[in-house]
Amino acid sequence: MKRIVLSSLAVFLAISFSFCQTSIIPSVINSTGGTFNDPNSYYRIDWSVGEMTLVNILQSGDGLFVTTNGVLQSFTNVVSNVNNTSSFGPGEVKVFPNPTSKYIDIGFYPQQQGRVWFRLYDALGRKVYDKNFLIYGLDRIERIDVNKFPAGVYMLHVQLDPIMGLHIKKAAFRIVKTIK
């Protein structure tokens, strides 16, 4: 009888404690690190000591979900409603430096997911640069090396085709390429 009671008590305790694990919330304690966010700059730098250096990105087949490992995750600190018009709002696309002799950086800060196209045309209308990629509503800065292009005026066309049926957004920027 004593063996049955002890066995029953052991099973009861094992079951009780196994359900307790479901209430634990995953968390990370980061020993040190920080953030540098200069309001006069387009860049934000986060760092961590003791974080894994492995970078692994997993993406679903339809491109809607992205999973990465590590403590520091991409995010936007601009929380607002989605701009559902056919043109980009103030601050959604920034092109700098302009004029330039070496490169241009395109700061892209949308609140939408979708496919983005960057196309650069010379003064005769020839396409000299073409790149497209998926964006997930997070900030991104793309650099285009214009060092190999001759001096002159170029047109940068930016287009966002949203995933969720919102308006296609388009913009054009005049880029002045100077001599080194």
Side-chain angles (χ1 to χ4, degrees):
M1 179 69 172
K2 185 176 179 181
R3 186 180 292 232
I4 294 173
V5 171
L6 287 175
S7 298
S8 300
L9 181 61
V11 169
F12 174 74
L13 289 174
I15 292 172
S16 297
F17 285 117
S18 67
F19 288 114
C20 293
Q21 293 298 317
T22 60
S23 64
I24 295 175
I25 298 171
S27 61
V28 175
I29 298 174
N30 195 359
S31 62
T32 185
T35 299
F36 173 75
N37 192 9
D38 182 3
N40 299 322
S41 173
Y42 294 99
Y43 298 101
R44 175 192 171 118
I45 301 170
D46 292 326
W47 70 89
S48 169
V49 175
E51 182 182 350
M52 244 168 77
T53 58
L54 171 71
V55 176
N56 188 16
I57 299 174
L58 303 172
Q59 182 176 350
S60 65
D62 57 5
L64 290 175
F65 301 103
V66 175
T67 304
T68 63
N69 61 340
V71 177
L72 303 175
Q73 298 293 319
S74 301
F75 71 96
T76 180
N77 56 3
V78 181
V79 179
S80 66
N81 293 332
V82 171
N83 172 15
N84 191 19
T85 62
S86 59
S87 60
F88 291 101
E92 284 189 294
V93 180
K94 296 179 182 179
V95 179
F96 53 95
N98 194 9
T100 184
S101 62
K102 296 180 182 178
Y103 63 87
I104 56 172
D105 284 335
I106 305 165
F108 197 67
Y109 312 100
Q111 301 294 312
Q112 297 172 250
Q113 296 180 6
R115 181 157 298 278
V116 176
W117 278 270
F118 291 148
R119 295 181 181 111
L120 189 64
Y121 297 91
D122 66 7
L124 298 174
R126 295 178 296 207
K127 191 185 315 179
V128 294
Y129 180 85
D130 189 2
K131 182 171 185 175
N132 71 75
F133 54 88
L134 286 174
I135 194 147
Y136 303 99
L138 303 173
D139 300 347
R140 180 171 178 155
I141 296 176
E142 192 72 29
R143 179 168 280 185
I144 300 175
D145 181 15
V146 295
N147 195 28
K148 60 186 174 229
F149 300 149
V153 177
Y154 294 83
M155 290 299 293
L156 173 68
H157 290 242
V158 179
Q159 181 174 330
L160 169 66
D161 290 342
I163 289 178
M164 298 212 257
L166 300 172
H167 285 89
I168 294 174
K169 294 183 180 191
K170 295 181 181 181
F173 300 89
R174 184 175 53 198
I175 308 296
V176 178
K177 165 60 167 74
T178 59
I179 299 173
K180 299 178 197 178

